[in-house]
Amino acid sequence: LDAQEPQKKMRLVGRTWELSQIREGIAQLAAQTGGVLILKSTANGMGTTSLLIEAEKQAEQAGVNCSFCTNQSPNQPAFNGIKNLLEDLLEDKAANDALLSFFGETENQFEKWTAFSAFRDLLVTATPHLVIIDNLAQSDQGTIEILEYLIRNLADKPVLFILGLHSVTVEGTLEGITTGSTTDVTPTEIPLGP
């Protein structure tokens, strides 16, 4: 007999307010409203990823489409931070050459804005949708650019972006997303303290 390791249940002690903000954002999707929530921790180990995992579970329970993406490094291949979202969207649809061109999976080359627009249109067909991006500070420039585009161009659609930021220091290109200056959407910041 093979012994099975018991599944660990994640504990989110002291995160009632944060969870209520996440639940409220997901509930707004049913009312055809989206937006941007930023979970901003003061240091690693503050529970950002655990809250994002819980948000994914809440969306699934609510019957909302959900995609969970994680960034590894600003030096990761371009658009790698949203690759899981694209894979989720293309799962039941014919491959779209403009979108696959992001990842070099087609010989055809497309102008970036054509591909961004195709991505937006595909995401609209899968609404309501929760897009979770963990480790935002480790995003490559391509991921940041498409996130700005999607947030700006889906502001009136039932798409909620929950972004995990594992640092209080925001510099350069991320500032546009975290302040809304490049998206015209003011995010709701959920600070995570000890």
Side-chain angles (χ1 to χ4, degrees):
L1 293 173
D2 290 331
Q4 290 185 347
E5 195 172 308
Q7 290 214 348
K8 296 179 183 176
K9 182 169 170 49
M10 189 173 18
R11 294 185 54 200
L12 296 170
V13 177
R15 297 290 186 211
T16 305
W17 179 80
E18 293 87 346
L19 287 169
S20 72
Q21 296 296 301
I22 291 168
R23 278 191 210 101
E24 184 177 317
I26 293 169
Q28 288 298 316
L29 288 171
Q32 302 299 304
T33 303
V36 179
L37 298 177
I38 298 178
L39 302 180
K40 193 172 184 182
S41 62
T42 56
N44 287 332
M46 301 300 290
T48 306
T49 301
S50 296
L51 283 165
L52 294 174
I53 292 168
E54 183 61 26
E56 181 181 35
K57 290 177 186 173
Q58 293 290 326
E60 289 171 359
Q61 290 173 357
V64 171
N65 295 313
C66 182
S67 299
F68 196 111
C69 306
T70 302
N71 289 287
Q72 302 299 322
S73 163
N75 300 321
Q76 66 193 5
F79 307 107
N80 201 59
I82 48 91
K83 191 169 186 175
N84 286 352
L85 172 60
L86 179 60
E87 289 170 353
D88 289 349
L89 293 173
L90 290 178
E91 191 172 279
D92 297 322
K93 297 176 177 50
N96 183 318
D97 277 352
L99 294 173
L100 293 176
S101 70
F102 276 161
F103 305 104
E105 296 178 16
T106 179
E107 293 178 14
N108 299 328
Q109 294 297 314
F110 291 87
E111 196 269 330
K112 156 171 95 170
W113 302 112
T114 301
F116 283 16
S117 178
F119 205 127
R120 179 204 60 223
D121 293 347
L122 190 58
L123 187 51
V124 167
T125 66
T127 58
H129 207 103
L130 172 60
V131 177
I132 298 171
I133 309 284
D134 194 11
N135 214 2
L136 184 65
Q138 295 298 313
S139 297
D140 59 86
Q141 187 59 40
T143 295
I144 293 167
E145 287 179 16
I146 194 164
L147 272 176
E148 288 175 335
Y149 178 87
L150 292 174
I151 292 168
R152 182 174 51 254
N153 289 282
L154 293 169
D156 62 340
K157 304 290 185 212
V159 178
L160 175 63
F161 295 87
I162 301 182
L163 311 174
L165 189 58
H166 296 263
S167 168
V168 293
T169 306
V170 177
E171 300 172 357
T173 55
L174 281 182
E175 193 171 341
I177 293 174
T178 60
T179 64
S181 65
T182 58
T183 62
D184 296 325
V185 175
T186 304
T188 300
E189 188 175 300
I190 302 173
L192 302 178

